[in-house]
Amino acid sequence: MGLLERLRKDWFIVGIVLVIAVARLEPAVGVKGGPLKPEITITYIAVSAIFFNSGLSLKTEELTSALMHVKLHLFVQIFTLAFFPTAIWLFLQLLSITPINEWLLKGLQTVGCMPPPVSSAVILTKAVGGNEAAAIFNSAFGSFLGIVVTPLLLLLFLGSSSSVPFTSIFSQLFMTVVVPLIIGQIVRRYIRDWLERKKPPFGAISSCVLLMIIYTTFCDTFANPNIDLDKFSLIVIVFIIFSVQMSFMFLTFLFSTRNDSGFTPADTVAIIFCSTHKSLTLGIPMLKIVFAGYEHLSLISVPLLIYHPAQILLGSLLVPTIKSWMVSRQKALKLTRQPKVPVKV
């Protein structure tokens, strides 16, 4: 495969690198109050656009059937909001005796407490061809669940006791996730024939919006003069984040592909991404609320800022491999279900 062809296929990975580089050079553009107005364009418009796009592209019958897949939803939510933070806490007990910056370690714990993302898991599941409807349901449901569970987990593991305005966060999530999804489904009913005929690039649109979210987040980080990171701690944290993601993706793959799991290959794809991905668009505002006035808030936020693009980068790299496995697995299952033709003697 030539270089240009490779870049065309991995344009999203290249895009992540570019937006981080631009954010480092001109952080003032994407910070709150800057020309891009991320407090409006990202908080409301970008997330709403992703879910309107999902509502427009998703067949209603697929979303309806996904609602009834209770076992899959329980697996994802228990893994991401119970097993994940507990496993990270146990791991951090070992890391606490190392010279790694303690506030970065606390930041790793906040990553474990975060709910599933409202966008990246859906986009990657769609890219592979997995159960997109299940990914959307778990992203939306996990986000709402995270409003209550995440602050409680932060209180349990880190001891923050700030009061959290559940009502305002819940209403914001409803308006930016549920309402756009419903509107997208309604609009789809009227232009279904046109959509199936033209096949708009829904995946590319969602990916572009996600790049914008990453860009403004890194702008906010680089514009903060209070962040003091030593290179050793930062390098180790990056290595830990990739290791944790790979380990948990492999773990969810093992659990969901057991013979008695009851999950299809398409379900496994949704489980892998939804169970191991963590929300940045919900996480950063949540940290700012729960740790309001914390002197080390910027350092605590760094692991989540790294985890978000890392999960997209790693997921993007694994898309071809996971897709190849899913297709071959589906073909194998189809062959085993075909009735055997008796051989005439």
Side-chain angles (χ1 to χ4, degrees), residues 54-278:
S54 293
L56 204 58
S57 62
L58 187 67
K59 295 178 180 178
T60 308
E61 57 273 17
E62 291 180 355
L63 186 59
T64 304
S65 64
L67 299 178
M68 307 308 295
H69 208 332
V70 178
K71 186 177 180 180
L72 188 152
H73 307 323
L74 283 175
F75 181 95
V76 171
Q77 301 306 327
I78 291 173
F79 190 95
T80 193
L81 292 174
F83 177 83
F84 201 124
T86 303
I88 292 295
W89 181 81
L90 291 172
F91 183 49
L92 291 182
Q93 303 312 300
L94 298 174
L95 293 179
S96 61
I97 61 175
T98 66
I100 302 173
N101 187 297
E102 65 171 310
W103 297 104
L104 289 180
L105 293 180
K106 289 181 183 292
L108 274 178
Q109 185 63 68
T110 66
V111 170
C113 297
M114 291 300 151
V118 294
S119 51
S120 62
V122 175
I123 294 169
L124 290 170
T125 300
K126 184 180 180 68
V128 173
N131 192 339
E132 185 191 358
I136 286 180
F137 179 85
N138 279 283
S139 295
F141 181 70
S143 297
F144 282 108
L145 198 60
I147 297 172
V148 177
V149 176
T150 293
L152 293 177
L153 290 173
L154 291 173
L155 174 62
L156 175 65
F157 289 110
L158 296 175
S160 176
S161 57
S162 302
S163 59
V164 180
F166 296 110
T167 305
S168 62
I169 299 177
F170 185 86
S171 61
Q172 180 179 326
L173 278 172
F174 183 80
M175 294 304 296
T176 57
V177 175
V178 178
V179 172
L181 185 64
I182 293 174
I183 292 175
Q185 285 282 284
I186 294 173
V187 172
R188 178 183 171 81
R189 293 182 60 185
Y190 294 98
I191 61 171
R192 182 182 304 165
D193 293 338
W194 181 86
L195 290 174
E196 293 181 359
R197 188 171 63 252
K198 295 294 185 180
K199 299 187 184 303
F202 293 114
I205 293 171
S206 295
S207 297
C208 289
V209 175
L210 199 53
L211 283 176
M212 184 179 176
I213 294 174
I214 295 172
Y215 169 68
T216 56
T217 303
F218 272 90
C219 281
D220 197 39
T221 304
F222 292 133
N224 192 331
N226 297 323
I227 291 184
D228 182 23
L229 287 173
D230 62 281
K231 292 181 180 179
F232 170 77
S233 293
L234 186 59
I235 292 172
V236 173
I237 289 296
V238 171
F239 175 77
I240 290 172
I241 284 173
F242 275 98
S243 299
V244 165
Q245 286 188 38
M246 284 296 295
S247 300
F248 282 2
M249 288 178 80
F250 183 66
L251 198 59
T252 55
F253 176 79
L254 288 180
F255 282 146
S256 60
T257 53
R258 291 180 307 165
N259 292 331
D260 60 344
S261 68
F263 298 126
T264 66
D267 292 338
T268 295
V269 173
I271 287 171
I272 289 173
F273 291 126
C274 291
S275 300
T276 58
H277 281 209
K278 294 293 184 176

Side-chain angles (χ1 to χ4, degrees), residues 284-295:
I284 293 299
M286 189 78 76
L287 288 180
K288 289 182 178 179
I289 293 169
V290 176
F291 295 102
Y294 246 62
E295 180 184 355

